[in-house]
Amino acid sequence: RKEVEQDPGPFNVPEGATVAFNCTYSNSASQSFFWYRQDCRKEPKLLMSVYSSGNEDGRFTAQLNRASQYISLLIRDSKLSDSATYLCVVWGTTDSWGKFQFGAGTQVVVTP
Amino acid sequence: ETGVTQTPRHLVMGMTNKKSLKCEQHLGHNAMYWYKQSAKKPLELMFVYNFKEQTENNSVPSRFSPECPNSSHLFLHLHTLQPEDSALYLCASSPGTGNTGELFFGEGSRLTVL
């Protein structure tokens, strides 16, 4: 089983619509959770951290469900510029070492 | 100036060549990382350095040799690579190797091995 699993997509979203997708993680000792955004042929950049109580940053809302071990990202009022791959990143400890684990990414394509 | 800079941005090399990738961070971080990103796969951690000491070598073949002369600079020396090593190599830094927050990535070095 992969440490962090994501639906690869692509999610084709009309401009102005809402899109949501999840990420599941296997390590119950995971402590920190992030969504990164990666544009084509560019480096990943932090979109937002995910907090236990859920958090919102403009049109983006992230949720954490520790019991079911998943996090989610919802994008409202999608813009063409939201087209990207969204990486789920989890920090947790295994064998006494802490490390970041990455999902393979969910591709979002916003269409006019 | 960006926080983490990588050079070269693109590199094409033959299997018998020796080349190096360079990474420099201007964020005052103590930890630096090399990741490999292949198409449609999660980022693979290769090496971690904390206070210029290697803390993790993720079973990387010896044809990849890291060097960390100080907390701000990280190199990846490449020697007798294989075509399957073609990928995007990303350098990243963070305040420490613990649960200290986000990773900051460089723009990556796209490597093609012929």
Side-chain angles (χ1 to χ4, degrees), chain B residues 5-11 20-24 34 74-75 108-109:
Chain B
T5 56
Q6 288 187 243
T7 56
R9 296 289 311 282
H10 300 273
L11 178 62
S20 296
L21 307 182
K22 178 182 175 182
C23 176
E24 183 175 359
W34 280 116
L74 186 62
F75 295 89
S109 294

Side-chain angles (χ1 to χ4, degrees), chain B residues 24-88:
Chain B
E24 183 175 359
Q25 59 98 358
H26 311 275
L27 301 168
H29 289 165
N30 297 313
M32 297 187 75
Y33 309 74
W34 280 116
Y35 283 91
K36 175 183 178 182
Q37 187 174 35
S38 303
K40 306 298 183 185
K41 290 185 178 180
L43 270 71
E44 299 173 48
L45 178 64
M46 300 176 74
F47 302 103
V48 182
Y49 279 82
N50 194 32
F51 291 98
K52 76 176 183 178
E53 297 296 323
Q54 188 178 122
T55 59
E56 186 154 350
N57 175 339
N58 208 28
S59 302
V60 179
S62 59
R63 58 185 183 270
F64 294 92
S65 173
E67 178 190 358
C68 188
N70 54 60
S71 292
S72 299
H73 293 86
L74 186 62
F75 295 89
L76 188 62
H77 303 301
L78 314 171
H79 176 50
T80 58
L81 296 190
Q82 304 298 311
E84 60 264 30
D85 296 323
S86 298
L88 180 67

Side-chain angles (χ1 to χ4, degrees), chain A residues 6-7 11 13 19-23 35-36 47 60-61 63 70-75 84-88 105-108:
Chain A
Q6 294 185 250
D7 184 336
F11 285 70
V13 186
V19 62
F21 42 88
N22 294 340
C23 157
W35 282 106
Y36 277 70
L47 177 67
F60 297 84
T61 301
Q63 299 279 354
Y70 74 86
I71 65 173
S72 63
L73 182 66
L74 181 146
I75 307 174
T85 297
Y86 291 85
L87 304 178
C88 173
T106 294
Q107 186 183 8
V108 172

Side-chain angles (χ1 to χ4, degrees), chain A residues 2 4 31-32 34 36 38 41-46 49 87 89 91 97-100 102-105 107, chain B residues 9 33 35 37 40-43 45 55-56 58 88 90 94 97-99 101-103 105-107 110:
Chain A
K2 295 178 184 175
V4 178
Q31 299 175 29
S32 296
F34 309 88
Y36 277 70
Q38 186 171 24
R41 305 185 76 81
K42 297 277 192 176
E43 78 277 21
K45 293 184 179 179
L46 181 69
S49 301
L87 304 178
V89 184
W91 193 94
W97 290 102
K99 61 170 63 177
F100 291 95
F102 288 79
Q107 186 183 8
Chain B
R9 296 289 311 282
Y33 309 74
Y35 283 91
Q37 187 174 35
K40 306 298 183 185
K41 290 185 178 180
L43 270 71
L45 178 64
T55 59
E56 186 154 350
N58 208 28
L88 180 67
L90 290 162
S94 65
T97 54
N99 191 11
E102 68 179 283
L103 285 170
F105 287 91
E107 292 180 295
R110 188 162 296 279

